[in-house]
Amino acid sequence: MANPTTVNFGGVVVGQTGTSQVQVENTSSTALTISNISVSGQGFNVTGQPSLPFTLGPSQSTTLNVAFAPTSTGTATGTLTFASDTSHGNSTHVHLSGQGKSKNSGGTLSGLTCSSNSLTSGGTDSCTVSLSAAAGSGGLAVSLTSSSTAVSVPASVTVAAGATSASFTATASTVTTTQNATLTASAGGTNQTFSLQLNAAGTAGITVSPTSLSFGDVVTGSSATQAVTITSSGTAALTVNTGSISGSGFTFSGASFPLSLNPGQTATLEVQFAPTATGSVTGALTLTSNASSGSTTTVALSGTGAAPTTAVALSGLTCSTNSLTGAVSDTCAVTLTGTAGTGGMAVALASSSNSVTVPSSVTVPAGASTVSFTATATAVSTTQSVTLSASAAGVTKTYALQLNAATAVLAINPTSIAFGNVTVASPATQTLTITSNGNSALTVNSASISGTGFSFTGASFPVTLNPGQSVALQVTFNPASATSYTGTLTLNSNASSTSTVTVPLSGTGVATAYTVALTWAAPTSSTDPVAGYDVYRAPSGSSTYQLLNSSPTTSTTYSDSSVANGQTYLYYVVSVDATGNQSSPSNTYTATIP
């Protein structure tokens, strides 16, 4: 079969080419041989076709590029024909149409958009084709195709005369795996595309917690209750059709069936054990649902009917703390009014929240009056209240826990680093301190730096900091030339407020400053007393000397700090008497500045 069976190229400007694709697929269970491909109609042709004949196995397909290149204005029609072996029918036809348009017949195709780039099986998407200007007389036909058979679109849509856009609907069929599809709009030799993701239909899942209940010893004539939480753990709605219970003395309440739960929703059943006779009892809570893992889910039940006694009973349930933050554990204990008898005493345990797990039961050994167990909390994003319960022989004790929201906070000091002026090739270093200021562990996953001349050392990533802990980074600026530099140090972490923190960096490279220090000896045989000295300088290659000091210096030394890097200078000194008369120049000194 061919898909699509009709291709409308819309309006194509004369001298240009509009393109589209046709997919040929073998939908039969036997091989299909294509012996010939032909095209009729002025301006229509096929490009890139495989060598003939060619064979497609069952479910195999190939894609052909079909073009429309009108040589004159007006409507054109044609047919694309596939000749195949007679066992599959003699031929398959694809109807072709298009319109040759003059260059000034209106706007050209400029865009293809849809309201969403993600569709779930069976969904629809509203899409729009846009023109660069209003369509001319007669409107502009735009051909449409989809790269996937799972998304269908009309063969074409027409932008009405005077309009700049037209809408159409893309419809997704059911898929079992995530797929990508490309929609293509073509008109006047111009193509526009839009990418869609097709999501597989969701599956229903069921999770029960706990998966078994042990009520321990319950005195006949009394009852003990424990909770079972049902969670919709799939990606589609869970329907629990029925719930039933077996075993003498076991009953449940808390929900009506059928029970529907959206993904992530929970429901709680209260299971009660009320023995009427002494001895061990077993049973099962059975749930039937539409879960993909199986239609039946069971929770094993057990308990022992105990004769009334006043000797030993459950007296308390305590934990080391009543406030937990993050993924931590709490040490808890159950206590009895006295010591357990032979065989010990089984105490059933339960938690009102999936965020805190406890063993299903714990046994106080014979001769002991207490036994410990561990309550394990997971990290939560909002503060929650949880109740732990212990039950034995018809007596129930509870303990209230508060779960605090785990918050990781990243603090940096300083928030920006300015190195100021730094001599070229002379590195300067400053310290950046990263601190964990939240109530849960902070993990800095990575650190990166940008900007020429900037680097850092001091930590390997990822690094985890418990609340209050810090780590220091040494940030270095080493300018290569005399200019201004900027950069950024970027930290990525699990911080609750933001995962990315940036520290602006800046600095200026300055050239090394040089000074030429001159010294000379005072004349010893002069009959004219020396009042001072004048110092002259000329750049190398020049015969013009410049007086450096504004008035004669009485010292026999002089420092010239006005030199430039990479230059060579010539110096000489003359002595000056009290009336301003100068002596002959001294010998010349040459100084080369690096």
Side-chain angles (χ1 to χ4, degrees):
M1 64 172 291
N3 181 37
T5 57
T6 299
V7 176
N8 186 342
F9 289 88
V12 179
V13 175
V14 174
Q16 297 182 358
T17 301
T19 61
S20 186
Q21 291 185 330
V22 173
Q23 184 183 62
V24 182
E25 181 181 7
N26 182 5
T27 58
S28 70
S29 59
T30 60
L32 169 68
T33 298
I34 303 297
S35 58
N36 186 49
I37 298 175
S38 61
V39 181
S40 65
Q42 184 177 10
F44 298 103
N45 63 82
V46 175
T47 62
Q49 71 181 47
S51 299
L52 297 171
F54 64 90
T55 300
L56 299 176
S59 299
Q60 284 188 327
S61 64
T62 188
T63 300
L64 300 180
N65 296 316
V66 185
F68 175 48
T71 57
S72 60
T73 60
T75 300
T77 59
T79 303
L80 171 63
T81 302
F82 302 94
S84 60
D85 53 300
T86 56
S87 62
H88 293 81
N90 291 328
S91 60
T92 299
H93 303 284
V94 177
H95 299 286
L96 309 177
S97 62
Q99 184 176 22
K101 303 183 76 70
S102 64
K103 292 184 178 180
N104 297 318
S105 58
T108 59
L109 183 65
S110 61
L112 169 60
T113 59
C114 295
S115 59
S116 172
N117 60 3
S118 178
L119 285 176
T120 301
S121 298
T124 59
D125 202 357
S126 178
C127 303
T128 302
V129 292
S130 303
L131 307 184
S132 60
S137 176
L140 178 63
V142 180
S143 62
L144 305 172
T145 59
S146 167
S147 65
S148 171
T149 56
V151 178
S152 61
V153 294
S156 65
V157 64
T158 298
V159 181
T164 59
S165 64
S167 299
F168 65 93
T169 299
T171 303
S173 57
T174 300
V175 295
T176 58
T177 59
T178 300
Q179 300 180 19
N180 292 317
T182 299
L183 305 186
T184 302
S186 303
T190 301
N191 294 334
Q192 298 290 339
T193 61
F194 188 84
S195 296
L196 282 174
Q197 177 176 292
L198 305 183
N199 304 310
T203 57
I206 185 172
T207 301
V208 294
S209 179
T211 56
S212 63
L213 296 179
S214 175
F215 287 88
D217 294 337
V218 178
V219 175
T220 57
S222 62
S223 64
T225 301
Q226 294 190 44
V228 172
T229 301
I230 306 170
T231 301
S232 174
S233 55
T235 57
L238 170 71
T239 299
V240 184
N241 300 299
T242 62
S244 61
I245 202 164
S246 64
S248 176
F250 295 108
T251 57
F252 75 92
S253 61
S256 299
F257 298 96
L259 172 67
S260 294
L261 300 174
N262 289 324
Q265 284 189 316
T266 62
T268 301
L269 299 181
E270 299 294 335
V271 181
Q272 186 180 72
F273 177 46
T276 57
T278 59
S280 298
V281 180
T282 59
L285 172 64
T286 302
L287 305 172
T288 62
S289 69
N290 66 335
S292 59
S293 58
S295 60
T296 301
T297 303
T298 59
V299 178
L301 310 175
S302 64
T304 301
T309 177
T310 58
V312 177
L314 183 66
S315 63
L317 168 60
T318 58
C319 295
S320 59
T321 180
N322 61 2
S323 180
L324 301 175
T325 302
V328 295
S329 297
D330 199 3
T331 300
C332 304
V334 292
T335 55
L336 307 181
T337 56
T339 58
T342 302
M345 177 178 282
V347 180
L349 303 173
S351 167
S352 65
S353 171
N354 289 334
S355 298
V356 178
T357 58
V358 295
S360 60
S361 66
V362 66
T363 298
V364 181
S369 61
T370 184
V371 68
S372 298
F373 65 92
T374 298
T376 302
T378 59
V380 294
S381 57
T382 58
T383 300
Q384 299 181 18
S385 296
V386 179
T387 300
L388 305 184
S389 59
S391 302
V395 177
T396 298
K397 298 294 181 180
T398 61
Y399 188 84
L401 283 174
Q402 177 174 291
L403 302 185
N404 304 308
T407 305
V409 177
L410 183 150
I412 54 173
N413 185 35
T415 56
S416 64
I417 298 178
F419 287 89
N421 292 334
V422 177
T423 301
V424 171
S426 298
T429 299
Q430 293 193 38
T431 299
L432 177 75
T433 302
I434 306 170
T435 304
S436 174
N437 275 355
N439 59 14
S440 67
L442 169 73
T443 298
V444 184
N445 300 300
S446 65
S448 60
I449 201 164
S450 65
T452 302
F454 297 102
S455 61
F456 73 90
T457 59
S460 298
F461 296 94
V463 61
T464 298
L465 304 175
N466 290 322
Q469 285 188 319
S470 299
V471 66
L473 297 183
Q474 304 302 317
V475 183
T476 300
F477 174 47
N478 186 11
S481 61
T483 187
S484 296
Y485 295 86
T486 59
T488 302
L489 175 64
T490 302
L491 304 172
N492 291 302
S493 71
N494 67 334
S496 303
S497 58
T498 178
S499 61
T500 301
V501 173
T502 58
V503 180
L505 310 174
S506 63
T508 301
V510 295
T512 303
Y514 292 94
T515 300
V516 176
L518 303 172
T519 61
W520 59 88
T524 58
S525 59
S526 174
T527 59
D528 186 6
V530 175
Y533 303 92
D534 284 336
V535 180
Y536 288 85
R537 183 188 73 185
S540 177
S542 172
S543 60
T544 302
Y545 283 81
Q546 174 189 4
L547 176 63
L548 296 181
N549 48 328
S550 59
S551 60
T553 178
T554 58
S555 174
T556 58
T557 63
Y558 183 82
S559 295
D560 181 11
S561 60
S562 63
V563 295
N565 294 357
Q567 295 291 328
T568 299
Y569 299 94
L570 305 178
Y571 296 87
Y572 69 77
V573 180
V574 298
S575 59
V576 182
D577 63 15
T579 61
N581 295 318
Q582 293 184 339
S583 69
S584 298
S586 68
N587 62 301
T588 301
Y589 173 73
T590 301
T592 300
I593 311 303

